[in-house]
């Protein structure tokens, strides 16, 4: 497929047309400003939606307003997630200020604020979200906004519908498609200066987030899951972590990333989740990173596979499978084999509360749970083991499924993400193939304690978590 570009702005800024979708059939109106509703891409850098909005504002000679709505009832979010997000938003707000762009942050259901602001908008712009509630918000706006409403896809390398028109069976099937079309999308959008100056002042009541503790204390959210010291939100921090990863860990990524006693992963997932860093930027930095070590190409290949194919497979899953947040999303072979073995004797059964508190007989599992509860991020390899064991230790596979989603989305800073739904589903056979049959798991792949003990220095992991 050839590169398909839309030329915008006076410097001829290019954004691929595949990233642009008009969500209604309204015209641009003669009104004071262009409004960009920043929802899933909470960054200034390499944000196609922001660039599109800047260019349109310049072209139409209108003001530009960036809007972000903070709701007290974002699905499954708690203080931990809100703090990380607000740290990032404060950074965005001050970066936009230096560009002469006003950002207003409101405490309201995000789509409600957008509907109000769109009444004076010549053009309304939003980034793309893949989860049910994000899509429902956009649909509601599309039916109520009476000026043109453009959605720009910026949080993936290849736009989801361009990558595939259906739910993919596995990484292999998606990879084949992505390999054929990816190259034209691995390009950073050119950024352009905003030429206007936002003048109108009063619009809708703003929510002051300059003092994050004070803002958090006002929000009626779940305060029981505390913020984490380990990760601070924002693009600057994400880029710092990326630099560190490239310099210190990247070389060992393929050989050591699975060893929980080390930390050779990028730790970028919370930042990617909140859209605080562009996946295209991360991809290009990793692609272009040079080292003299001959074994390095394996690491580069593995990292790009995770960042691109696996991550976009998860997005393909939630986008095309409306049951992504329930047990029903599993492939038929997996549901069948798990049903056949649902009455098998479980070696241990733990209550949801005991699991949440990390009170099992398995110290590796408990450590993984503790790592997630305390640090907000479990090691990637341990997530697989953690999930497989819950399948083994809950009374039914469906119960295990719901328990895992609950724990994952409550404690992981990167939780409530397509990757989390795909990761949990993977533990039950999604995107995998049938293996040899055994108790409880049937043909679903299993993992064992002795495997961890044999392969890794698990004592070191226990010490690290403690
Ligand atoms: C049970 C279970 C639950 C999971 N829950 C989440 C979750 O809530 N949020 C989340 O972002 N990831 C989740 N994952 C996927 C994966 O474990 C994490 O993305 C990864 O550990 C994040 O750490 P990192 O950024 O250091 O990863 P790196 O190894 O440095 O990888 C770089 C990026 O690639 C992507 N990536 C890596 N592994 C995967 C994968 N297996 N599937 C999809 N994308 C991947 C992520 O965006 C990640 O940030 C889950 C996996 C399992 C098995």
């Amino acid at each position: 497929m050839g590169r398909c570009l839309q030329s915008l702005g006076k410097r001829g800024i290019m954004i691929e047309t595949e990233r642009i979708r008009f969500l209604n059939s309204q015209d641009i109106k003669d009104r004071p400003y262009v409004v960009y509703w920043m929802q899933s891409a909470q960054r200034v850098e390499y944000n196609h939606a922001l660039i599109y909005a800047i260019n349109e504002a310049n072209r139409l000679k209108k003001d530009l307003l960036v809007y972000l709505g903070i709701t007290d009832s974002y699905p499954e979010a708690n203080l931990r997630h809100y703090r990380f997000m607000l740290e990032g938003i404060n950074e965005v707000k001050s970066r936009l200020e230096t560009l002469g762009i006003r950002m207003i942050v409101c405490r309201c259901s995000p789509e409600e604020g957008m509907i109000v602001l769109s009444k004076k908008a010549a053009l309304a712009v939003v980034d793309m979200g893949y989860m049910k509630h994000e899509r429902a918000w956009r649909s509601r706006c599309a039916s109520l906004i009476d000026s043109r409403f453009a959605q720009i896809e910026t949080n993936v390398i290849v736009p989801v519908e361009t990558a595939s028109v259906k739910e993919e069976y596995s990484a292999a099937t998606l990879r084949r498609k992505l390999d054929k079309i990816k190259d034209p999308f691995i390009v950073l959008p050119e950024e352009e200066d905003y030429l206007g100056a936002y003048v109108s002042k009063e619009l809708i009541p703003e929510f002051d987030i300059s003092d994050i503790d004070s803002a958090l204390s006002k929000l009626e959210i779940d305060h029981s899951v505390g913020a984490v010291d380990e990760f601070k939100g924002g693009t600057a921090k994400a880029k710092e972590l990326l630099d560190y990863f490239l310099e210190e860990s990247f070389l060992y990524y393929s050989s050591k990333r699975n060893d929980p006693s080390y930390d050779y992963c990028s730790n970028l997932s919370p930042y990617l989740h909140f859209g605080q860093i562009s996946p295209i930027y991360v991809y290009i930095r990793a692609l272009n990173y040079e080292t003299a070590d001959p074994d390095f190409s394996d690491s580069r290949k593995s990292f790009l596979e995770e960042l691109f194919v696996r991550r976009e497979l998860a997005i393909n899953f939630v986008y095309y499978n409306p049951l992504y947040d329930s047990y029903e999303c599993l492939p038929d072979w997996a549901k069948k084999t798990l049903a056949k073995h649902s009455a098998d004797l479980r070696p241990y059964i733990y209550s949801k509360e005991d699991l949440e508190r990390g009170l099992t007989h398995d110290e590796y599992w408990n450590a993984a749970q503790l790592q997630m509860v305390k640090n907000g991020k479990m090691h990637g390899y341990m997530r697989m083991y953690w999930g497989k064991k819950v399948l083994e230790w809950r009374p039914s596979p469906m119960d295990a499924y719901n328990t895992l989603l609950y724990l994952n989305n409550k404690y992981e800073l990167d939780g409530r993400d397509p990757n989390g739904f795909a990761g949990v589903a993977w533990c039950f056979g999604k995107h995998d193939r049938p293996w040899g049959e055994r108790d409880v798991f049937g043909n679903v792949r299993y993992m064992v304690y002795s495997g961890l003990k044999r392969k890794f220095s698990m004592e070191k992991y226990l010490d690290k978590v403690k």
Side-chain angles (χ1 to χ4, degrees), residues 70-79 82 107-108 207 213-224:
I70 295 178
T71 167
D72 291 28
S73 51
Y74 194 96
E76 296 183 276
N78 53 47
L79 181 108
Y82 277 90
R107 182 178 169 194
C108 59
F207 183 49
D213 287 328
S214 155
L216 287 171
S217 71
K218 289 183 191 119
L219 290 171
E220 287 171 23
I221 54 174
D222 174 4
H223 286 252
S224 69

Side-chain angles (χ1 to χ4, degrees), residues 60-107:
L60 299 167
K61 298 195 171 41
K62 303 282 180 194
D63 290 331
L64 173 63
L65 176 67
V66 174
Y67 152 74
L68 190 138
I70 295 178
T71 167
D72 291 28
S73 51
Y74 194 96
E76 296 183 276
N78 53 47
L79 181 108
R80 170 171 296 182
H81 306 114
Y82 277 90
R83 169 168 275 284
F84 187 86
M85 181 177 80
L86 293 189
E87 286 165 350
I89 296 171
N90 268 340
E91 188 183 325
V92 167
K93 206 162 186 259
S94 47
R95 287 281 303 275
L96 286 174
E97 244 165 53
T98 64
L99 302 175
I101 300 171
R102 179 175 171 205
M103 178 179 197
I104 63 169
V105 176
C106 302
R107 182 178 169 194

Side-chain angles (χ1 to χ4, degrees), residues 81-146:
H81 306 114
Y82 277 90
R83 169 168 275 284
F84 187 86
M85 181 177 80
L86 293 189
E87 286 165 350
I89 296 171
N90 268 340
E91 188 183 325
V92 167
K93 206 162 186 259
S94 47
R95 287 281 303 275
L96 286 174
E97 244 165 53
T98 64
L99 302 175
I101 300 171
R102 179 175 171 205
M103 178 179 197
I104 63 169
V105 176
C106 302
R107 182 178 169 194
C108 59
S109 190
E111 87 288 16
E112 292 294 342
M114 182 59 167
I115 290 163
V116 173
L117 289 170
S118 70
K119 294 192 194 319
K120 285 191 190 160
L123 167 72
V125 179
V126 67
D127 38 43
M128 184 162 178
Y130 304 97
M131 317 283 284
K132 278 179 195 167
H133 57 281
E134 294 178 306
R135 290 169 74 180
W137 284 339
R138 285 160 180 76
S139 296
R140 178 141 192 270
C141 284
S143 63
L144 294 173
I145 291 178
D146 67 349

Side-chain angles (χ1 to χ4, degrees), residues 245 253 257 263-270 272-273 282 302-314 377-388 404 408-409 412-427:
F245 169 71
Y253 187 79
R257 76 167 185 284
D263 192 5
Y264 282 113
C265 295
S266 70
N267 287 314
L268 286 174
S269 53
L272 287 162
H273 169 73
V282 178
S302 316
F303 181 71
L304 296 182
E305 166 76 11
E306 301 297 342
L307 173 76
F308 180 31
V309 179
R310 294 283 166 173
R311 182 171 176 273
E312 297 194 12
L313 178 66
K377 189 169 179 291
M378 191 189 296
H379 186 275
Y381 192 83
M382 290 309 289
R383 294 193 200 206
M384 297 190 266
Y385 180 75
W386 173 79
K388 293 288 183 186
L404 279 173
N408 189 84
N409 290 350
E412 295 284 17
L413 209 41
D414 60 23
R416 307 159 302 113
D417 185 274
N419 279 352
F421 290 98
V424 167
W426 176 86
C427 296

Side-chain angles (χ1 to χ4, degrees), residues 212-316:
I212 293 182
D213 287 328
S214 155
L216 287 171
S217 71
K218 289 183 191 119
L219 290 171
E220 287 171 23
I221 54 174
D222 174 4
H223 286 252
S224 69
V225 184
V228 293
D229 297 332
E230 195 96 350
F231 299 100
K232 189 174 159 20
T235 303
K237 193 66 204 172
K239 287 172 77 179
E240 211 177 276
L241 281 177
L242 176 61
D243 289 343
Y244 180 85
F245 169 71
L246 294 174
E247 291 294 331
E248 306 294 333
S249 318
F250 197 13
L251 180 60
Y252 310 101
Y253 187 79
S254 90
S255 58
K256 295 208 169 87
R257 76 167 185 284
N258 283 341
D259 189 336
S261 62
Y262 295 106
D263 192 5
Y264 282 113
C265 295
S266 70
N267 287 314
L268 286 174
S269 53
Y271 302 88
L272 287 162
H273 169 73
F274 286 94
Q276 294 176 351
I277 192 162
S278 155
I280 306 177
Y281 173 74
V282 178
Y283 189 103
I284 290 177
R285 289 285 310 276
L287 187 69
N288 295 338
Y289 191 80
E290 291 298 342
T291 148
D293 196 298
D295 294 334
F296 180 61
S297 64
D298 283 351
S299 281
R300 190 186 334 258
K301 200 168 159 220
S302 316
F303 181 71
L304 296 182
E305 166 76 11
E306 301 297 342
L307 173 76
F308 180 31
V309 179
R310 294 283 166 173
R311 182 171 176 273
E312 297 194 12
L313 178 66
I315 289 170
N316 166 281

